[in-house]
Amino acid sequence: MANDEIKSIIVGIEQLKKQNEEREIADLIPLVLSQTLNSTKAKTIMELDENLKLALATTKTHFPSNSVAAICDLFSFLVKRRIQNCQDFSDCKDQIIEVGKKLYEISLSSRTKIAEFAQPFIGDGASILVHGFSHCVIATLKEAAKNNKQFNIFVTEGRPSSSGKLVAQLLKNEGMPVTMIPDSAVARNIEKIDMILIGADVVAESGGVVSQIGAYQISITAAAFRKPFYVAVESNRFSRIYPLSQRDLPAEKINADLINQYADIGITVK
């Protein structure tokens, strides 16, 4: 795979993201990878497989996240399974395009289905705690509001990325009552909460979920107070990773301003 083809993957994903700001990068990756591999100069299945490995490595390096790694692994698995039964090389490329389109279509429809299936869990008059940014969670709450359910939303700040600010703004724009609370104030407010609803970057092979930092301690608090804790996540986020502890998970990227703020007084932020 030539350098210009590698660059086209990165540029293609970034351009598609600008055109579809409401979509996550992980949703767009299969579409771009399939188009790139379809136009590759590879002439044999072996060359195509090598190009696939390079394309996946490039994508994971340039867009480092658990969700991107999971969708890349799923794309690789499905493509390799398809091309094993190909009769000729041109058919292989057709199969790759089909896999990319299928994964993209699944990501488009899955949130709508999740939002619909989640409605029985949201009671009228409920107080819901939301932690971290998740398209699935936002879609679920929008669907509940559309069904004329009355509920209150508590949104955590979501540090270090401060994702709660964006979540609160989006929900507020939809006319939903939102209260922002510090991450450290979850236990103080837990008695007001009827349920916790979060998204996830990845669902591990063990059944555990990888979500925004802070979700683990919120789940412990919820268990202590016997509050229902729900995770809304698409099936294409299921991964083969099997972390044995928190230390096996990649650290969440910390805002540079926060690092610099404490660097001035000689303190490291992790």
Side-chain angles (χ1 to χ4, degrees), residues 52-258:
L52 173 63
K53 291 177 182 177
L54 184 57
L56 293 172
T58 300
T59 304
K60 289 180 180 180
T61 300
H62 197 81
F63 303 99
S65 77
N66 293 311
S67 57
V68 167
I71 202 69
C72 283
D73 291 343
L74 179 60
F75 179 80
S76 175
F77 171 77
L78 293 176
V79 165
K80 288 181 178 180
R81 191 170 68 173
R82 288 287 190 95
I83 65 177
Q84 283 179 350
N85 301 318
C86 290
Q87 298 299 321
D88 55 62
F89 187 68
S90 61
D91 185 41
C92 287
K93 289 192 172 183
D94 291 339
Q95 292 294 328
I96 290 173
I97 286 291
E98 187 177 339
V99 168
K101 287 182 177 179
K102 189 68 175 177
L103 285 177
Y104 181 69
E105 290 169 359
I106 289 173
S107 71
L108 290 176
S109 61
S110 59
R111 285 172 196 149
T112 301
K113 292 179 180 178
I114 290 171
E116 293 173 353
F117 291 149
Q119 294 312 302
F121 298 95
I122 301 177
D124 204 25
S127 291
I128 305 168
L129 176 66
V130 173
H131 178 72
F133 182 88
S134 166
H135 286 289
C136 275
V137 170
I138 292 172
T140 297
L141 296 174
K142 282 184 179 180
E143 183 68 18
K146 182 180 175 182
N147 293 334
N148 296 318
K149 290 187 177 181
Q150 301 296 319
F151 52 88
N152 298 306
I153 306 171
F154 289 81
V155 179
T156 60
E157 285 183 299
R159 288 179 175 269
S161 62
S162 297
S163 60
K165 183 178 180 180
L166 175 58
V167 174
Q169 188 63 57
L170 289 173
L171 297 176
K172 191 71 175 177
N173 291 344
E174 295 292 330
M176 302 181 206
V178 178
T179 301
M180 179 78 76
I181 64 172
D183 296 343
S184 56
V186 170
R188 180 182 179 184
N189 290 278
I190 196 68
E191 291 183 347
K192 307 174 188 176
I193 304 299
D194 295 305
M195 62 178 284
I196 294 92
L197 181 61
I198 69 167
D201 293 330
V202 166
V203 178
E205 200 168 21
S206 61
V209 297
V210 180
S211 188
Q212 177 161 328
I213 190 169
Y216 180 50
Q217 60 197 36
I218 292 175
S219 70
I220 293 174
T221 304
F225 285 84
R226 298 188 177 184
K227 301 292 183 177
F229 190 100
Y230 299 108
V231 181
V233 60
E234 307 95 318
S235 59
N236 61 9
R237 295 292 192 271
F238 282 57
S239 174
R240 299 299 299 272
I241 65 172
Y242 203 106
L244 298 177
S245 70
Q246 295 289 307
R247 288 174 294 182
D248 294 330
L249 299 173
E252 186 166 326
K253 188 175 181 180
I254 299 175
N255 187 284
D257 292 336
L258 184 62

